[in-house]
Structure formats: structure tokens, C-alpha cells
Amino acid sequence: TENEKKLIQGMTDEFHGQLVDGIKRSRPSAAGDATNFDGRILTASQALKRGLVDQVADLDEAIQVAAGMGVPG
């Protein structure tokens, strides 16, 4: 229904706003490029070039990095 669509869109907009705020706080160098927040899908290498990620790795490497950071898992 239209009401359900509005509800879902409102939740999506709120989550997107929280995500954008978090990225702008943690990665100020990426905050100036509005295309970082317009919903487009990026490859890992594109995200790396934009400063949105620290490195590109496969799952095993990511687990090793997280383990080295003391992240429980």
C-alpha cells in the first residue's frame, strides 16, 4: 500500500542519513564529494580511491586484519 511504501521510505531515508553522518565523521576526506552519498554502487577499488575503505582484501585477509585489531569474532 502507499502507507507501507511511505513507512519503508522513511526508514530508508533515516538509515541513509545515519550512514552519511557516520562516514563524514570517520572519513572527513571523503565528505566533500557528494557522489559518495548518492546511493551508487561502487567496486572495492573505486571505494578505495574515494577514501571510503582502508584496503581491499578477501574474506580470509579481512578476518586476519580484524583479529589483529582485537575485534571479537
Side-chain angles (χ1 to χ4, degrees):
T1 70
E2 193 60 35
N3 284 340
E4 291 170 326
K5 287 180 185 178
K6 288 180 183 179
L7 175 66
I8 297 296
Q9 187 61 57
M11 292 167 45
T12 302
D13 292 345
E14 181 179 340
F15 176 73
H16 182 257
Q18 292 172 353
L19 181 64
V20 168
D21 290 345
I23 292 169
K24 286 181 176 181
R25 273 194 311 275
S26 64
R27 300 197 178 262
S29 62
D33 185 350
T35 63
N36 285 336
F37 310 107
D38 65 3
R40 68 183 65 203
I41 297 170
L42 303 173
T43 65
S45 61
Q46 290 170 327
L48 182 64
K49 287 178 187 173
R50 290 169 176 255
L52 296 170
V53 298
D54 295 327
Q55 66 187 62
V56 176
D58 64 20
L59 179 59
D60 291 333
E61 291 171 306
I63 291 170
Q64 288 176 353
V65 169
M69 298 172 78
V71 177

